[in-house]
Amino acid sequence: MVIMSPSMAFQPVLERIAGEIERTPGRGRPADYIPALAACDPRRFGMAVAELDGTVYGVGDWRQPFSTQSITKVFTLALDLAREGDELWEHVGREPSGNPFNSLVQLEYESGIPRNPFINAGALVVTDRLQTRTGDAAGELLAFLRAESGNPSLGFDKDVAASESANGDRNAALAHFMKSYGNIDNEVPVLLDQYFRQCSIEASCADLALAAGFLARHGIRADGSRLLTLTQAKQVNAVMLTCGTYDAAGEFAYRVGLPGKSGVGGGIIAIVPGRCTLAVWSPGLDERGNSVAGVAALDRFTTLTGVSVF
């Protein structure tokens, strides 16, 4: 084991991890239920680490844009929480779901209140509330990601958004069901358009590691302004730890030991509060929708460096 001192560079660790991943057989399968993602090569791999001052280290395909998918739910949550505070938690819970991310099961016996903001139903509620407050939730999110990453070229992938819309019956059902309980304000087609655009944003590991830096800086944005209070930043990190990797959050906490959020595009972000942020991408997924190589790489990172929240 290599235990990292405060002055130790991340680059040699990333290169060691990339070599180990390259020799690892079995990388899972891309998300074939979203046709625009199905053709991704599961052996692609990139990883980046961003320090609090914006210094970024990377390896492999760390500057290759990919479909961020559910990773964006973290940023939408932060943007809405900054605007409405604890009122948000009256409309979405903070508990692990124990069910697939697109499940309808819990909504009926919990009166249309999603279990947490990272399953699809919860993310729809958060997007809906941000839409009500901004008039363009997806546009607000994109502007934030561009500012925090320092990359003005970030944008929506229209093909991915169209692919998700064409295969979005389950999300439509979730939205209509919650609207019947009064937990959705906007018209469902408007909400779904915002949600699918949000999930279609393309970004690289470098972009995401930088954009998530405010969570490692306890709510402070890249320009030094405060987005979240100390308490709110702690809340977002806590929900990421317990709910950020679908119904495998316990396994992720056990192996990696960091707040994290995955997406079915193969990306994962992870936070080391007060130290750095990480982003990893490899399109091959396990049966729960998490990147096989991505989880393995983060596991190795915390093992090699001794950096975790535990």
Side-chain angles (χ1 to χ4, degrees):
M1 177 184 292
V2 177
I3 299 298
M4 179 171 286
S5 69
S7 61
M8 184 176 177
F10 287 111
Q11 192 64 38
V13 177
L14 295 181
E15 291 173 359
R16 177 172 172 178
I17 291 169
E20 293 179 5
I21 294 296
E22 179 64 28
R23 296 188 295 272
T24 302
R27 299 278 189 91
R29 302 189 335 178
D32 54 8
Y33 60 91
I34 301 175
L37 302 181
C40 292
D41 180 358
R43 295 197 64 82
R44 298 289 295 272
F45 175 80
M47 188 173 186
V49 179
E51 294 183 320
L52 301 186
D53 64 359
T55 302
V56 188
Y57 307 87
V59 70
D61 298 311
W62 67 298
R63 292 197 178 277
Q64 172 65 42
F66 61 89
S67 187
T68 55
Q69 294 294 311
S70 289
I71 293 173
T72 59
K73 296 172 183 178
V74 171
F75 302 100
T76 305
L77 172 63
L79 289 170
D80 187 71
L81 187 62
R83 284 167 168 79
E84 67 169 317
D86 286 347
E87 183 182 343
L88 169 63
W89 302 120
E90 298 175 12
H91 300 269
V92 61
R94 302 184 293 272
E95 297 294 334
S97 68
N99 285 311
F101 58 85
N102 59 355
S103 174
L104 287 131
V105 172
Q106 289 173 330
L107 281 177
E108 184 163 13
Y109 61 80
E110 293 181 353
S111 303
I113 305 296
R115 187 64 68 89
N116 67 69
F118 295 147
I119 55 175
N120 286 17
L124 285 164
V125 167
V126 176
T127 298
D128 176 68
R129 300 187 69 76
L130 186 62
Q131 175 68 14
T132 297
R133 283 155 182 76
T134 66
D136 184 7
E140 191 78 12
L141 168 65
L142 182 60
F144 178 81
L145 292 175
R146 286 173 170 174
E148 296 305 293
S149 68
N151 184 356
S153 68
L154 295 184
F156 304 110
D157 186 320
K158 294 180 180 179
D159 290 338
V160 170
S163 182
E164 294 203 56
S165 179
N167 295 274
D169 292 338
R170 178 66 65 93
N171 286 314
L174 291 167
H176 281 294
F177 194 83
M178 291 186 293
K179 192 170 180 65
S180 75
Y181 279 97
N183 202 23
I184 293 293
D185 295 330
N186 294 278
E187 293 303 313
V188 169
V190 172
L191 170 58
L192 292 176
D193 177 67
Q194 290 288 327
Y195 181 72
F196 294 141
R197 289 172 65 215
Q198 165 189 317
C199 292
S200 78
I201 291 174
E202 284 198 322
S204 69
C205 292
D207 296 325
L208 290 171
L210 287 167
F214 72 99
L215 290 171
R217 294 188 293 267
H218 308 293
I220 301 294
R221 295 186 59 171
D223 64 3
S225 63
R226 179 170 288 282
L227 175 70
L228 301 176
T229 66
L230 290 171
T231 296
Q232 289 171 335
K234 179 189 73 174
Q235 290 172 344
V236 175
N237 280 325
V239 178
M240 288 174 69
L241 180 67
T242 58
C243 308
T245 46
Y246 309 121
D247 54 338
E251 179 70 12
F252 187 83
Y254 176 81
R255 290 184 62 185
V256 176
L258 293 174
K261 182 71 193 85
S262 61
V264 296
I268 307 174
I269 59 171
I271 313 298
V272 186
R275 183 66 190 276
C276 64
T277 54
L278 302 100
V280 62
W281 172 62
S282 188
L285 310 179
D286 62 20
E287 66 278 2
R288 292 174 172 175
N290 298 309
S291 170
V292 173
V295 174
L298 292 170
D299 182 358
R300 289 299 289 152
F301 179 85
T302 54
T303 299
L304 289 170
T305 63
V307 173
S308 87
V309 298
F310 300 110

